[in-house]
Amino acid sequence: MIELHNIVHRFPGSEWKLDIPDFSIQASEILGIIGPNGSGKSTLLRITAGIIKPLEGTVRLSGKKINKLKRKEIAKKIGYLPQETGSEYDYTVEELARMGRYSYTGTFGGLGPLDLKIVRESLKSTDMENMSERRLSRLSGGEKKRAFLASVLAQSPDILLLDEPTSSLDIHRQVQFFRLLRRLANQGMGVAVVTHDVNFASLFCQKLVFLVNGGLLSMGKPEKVISEKTIKYVYGEDVFLGRHPETDNPYLLPRLFKKTK
Amino acid sequence: MNKKTIIIYALLFCAVAVISPWIGSESISPAEVFSAGTAAPTPAKEIFWLQRIPRVLLALIAGGALALTGAAFQVLFRNPLVEPFTLGISGSSSLGAFITILFPCLWLRWGPFSSVQLFAALGAGTSLLLIYTLSNRPEGVDIYTLLLAGVTISIICSGAILLLTYFSDPHSLVIFQHWMMGGIDIIGYQSLFSLAPLLLPAIVVLFYHSKELNHIALNDEMAMGHGVDIKTVRRNVFIGGGLAAASVVSIVGPIGFVGLIIPHAVRRISGLDQRTVLPCSFFLGGASLALCDAAARTIIAPTELPVGIITAVIGGPLFIRLLVSRRLHKL
């Protein structure tokens, strides 16, 4: 669905370099992008979404180069939820969700019955239907995230790119959010999610991309990517590695004391 | 977009358009104006058709354009304090006008444009071009550079104006002072026609982009994700608003307040959808300036007050009243 090839990116005035050979996001699959701070997760996601143009390399969306496409064309295929979401004005949830239909509307931005139906559905699937008249300032952190997700889902994208969507949520909301992503993937959507939380990534993602300092450390199934050795290598931290009772996926527990030799 | 709301504002606009020509130091009755039979124009007819009507039309259009530009700029810059003249347009056009007033060798006429108008527009155009070049980056216009450059140009221009004031004769000073206070006391339709070539396309561009402005109020990445070509929208809204403000200021002078206050009033009363806010700001801005001008004509009749004074003196307290009313939802 979306393929990245030999991506290299640098920011002016900085030594740091993002260098990712190849990776792709497939339909019906959740791809987790993990790694420490400054490893290039968000930059990689922005490049994938066509928000920033890499210095080298190509991003192909269903075979077409993404920088040849108009923003409206990209928006019909890719839904992108940035890490920072906010609004200068205090829109209602419904108003926000309707904005997601932008790329389908004409000069005056009027919505037809089909558009309104899709807006309804995206509010429903994010569990925001009964809050549609609420203003953004009256929502909790989790509700706000879901409201913005609803506006992204209203784009009816094939691919969903999310940048740390759950970083400010409590565990219940986090689980809910990832279950929602799971449902969307089961309906055929390709999902890529940047997260700090290795445990959630391991439990909910079919495939993980582990980034370190702008480079690709490893890629594959969670049980392949996550090991005590890699965690020690990347984060410099000794951890206990366990197995999830339901799925047998690896999970991490921190040690109370530093290991002594 | 709320069509009902827009229609209500439009009706208000039309009502003011119909009523205000009848208000003024010279009382005129419809019977005098529409009386048939007399071939020779009566004074009442002349005042009505050559003074009142063009004046009211100019007030409606200028007020509308200023409020519309203010509404668009406040979103574009994500800053509630921005008004059409924040970009240094009033300073630079004032400088242009002042230079023309000081140097009679510059007095010329080109089609419907007067020399003061031409040079005021030229000044505004120069400052727009300057700040646009300063803030244009490969990834698009940098909003903060734009704002800072605009404010800096304002300061430079007012410095230059002070310098010229210091060396100029009292007569030119009076003319300039009068221009600065803002006035829409035009006679005939020439100035109205001279507005059209710049103002009409500018208004169309602003209305056209009103739906994208909703997205710009979110944040850049979210807007791009929704499919908005932020770079283009920014450039177009900046140029459109700049041209609208420049063309208006070149005729009526820097009338403050309308462009700052009206959009806030509209957002308080009628919600936040820019597709509603922009047209409603146009209608309310035009109606308010026309009413203020009617007041300017009558308050100290038979003389007139500059309309800029009225907009500030009446508009200020009204806006504070609006700010403290709790009934209306928070911005």
Side-chain angles (χ1 to χ4, degrees), chain B residues 229-244:
Chain B
D229 184 352
I230 269 225
K231 225 167 129 175
T232 313
V233 174
R234 272 225 177 103
R235 188 194 58 216
N236 290 355
V237 171
F238 168 74
I239 294 174
L243 287 183

Side-chain angles (χ1 to χ4, degrees), chain A residues 30-48:
Chain A
I30 305 183
L31 173 83
I33 303 176
I34 55 173
N37 291 329
S39 57
K41 305 186 293 289
S42 295
T43 308
L44 180 62
L45 203 70
R46 284 194 188 108
I47 289 172
T48 314

